[in-house]
């Protein structure tokens, strides 16, 4: 499964500041076919001007490894929402997909072909696909976009 996004929390004094550019990263796009030779797509970064930012999670790796979680930067508190988990095998003819990190999707678990679930909430990673004898019949789940919260 894909990794969850990073987290950056910062108290900012905006006295005299008229505007701040806000960027919300997109979720990683699910792969059109769950090929074991292609890594998943990473999520985009989110930021609050130059004050703080958080990277999106990495896509799951080829061969079933989980994607690393993104990381916050520049905040008073910086962290990750978590890595995706590894997929695995029931034997030589069936595989299961790993969980997405953060508020990501649960992994797929099937002895037949099954698409990966897309992430459930902001910053979550998509789940890997499960497949039987052919990986081409399945798609991996997409990650969820990031978010920026402003409180005053």
């Amino acid at each position: 499964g894909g990794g969850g996004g990073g987290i950056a929390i910062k108290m900012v004094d905006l006295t005299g500041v008229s505007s701040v550019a806000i960027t919300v990263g997109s979720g990683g796009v699910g792969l059109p076919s769950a090929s074991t030779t292609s890594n998943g797509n990473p999520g985009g970064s989110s930021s609050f001007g130059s004050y703080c930012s958080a990277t999106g999670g990495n896509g799951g790796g080829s061969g079933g490894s989980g994607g690393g979680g993104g990381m916050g930067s520049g905040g008073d508190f910086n962290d990750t929402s978590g890595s995706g988990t590894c997929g695995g095998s029931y034997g030589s003819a069936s595989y299961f997909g790993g969980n997405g990190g953060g508020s990501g999707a649960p992994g797929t678990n099937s002895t037949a072909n099954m698409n990966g679930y897309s992430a459930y909430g902001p910053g979550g990673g998509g789940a890997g696909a499960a497949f039987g004898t052919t990986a081409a019949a399945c798609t991996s789940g997409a990650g969820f976009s990031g978010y920026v919260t402003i409180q005053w």
Side-chain angles (χ1 to χ4, degrees), residues 8 20-25 44-55 147-148:
V20 176
I22 298 172
T23 302
V24 177
S45 295
S46 297
S47 64
F48 182 70
S50 60
Y51 298 103
C52 61
S53 62
T55 60
Y147 68 106
V148 175

Side-chain angles (χ1 to χ4, degrees), residues 22-121:
I22 298 172
T23 302
V24 177
S26 61
V29 177
L31 295 175
S33 64
S35 171
T36 57
T37 60
S38 298
N39 291 336
N41 294 304
S45 295
S46 297
S47 64
F48 182 70
S50 60
Y51 298 103
C52 61
S53 62
T55 60
N58 293 308
S62 62
S65 62
M71 189 65 185
S73 175
D76 299 326
F77 173 81
N78 300 299
D79 205 354
T80 181
S81 63
S83 296
T85 62
C86 296
S89 172
Y90 291 119
S92 62
S94 69
Y95 302 86
F96 57 92
N99 298 327
S103 55
T108 51
N109 185 0
S110 177
T111 57
N113 294 343
M114 185 174 182
N115 292 334
Y117 297 110
S118 291
Y120 293 149

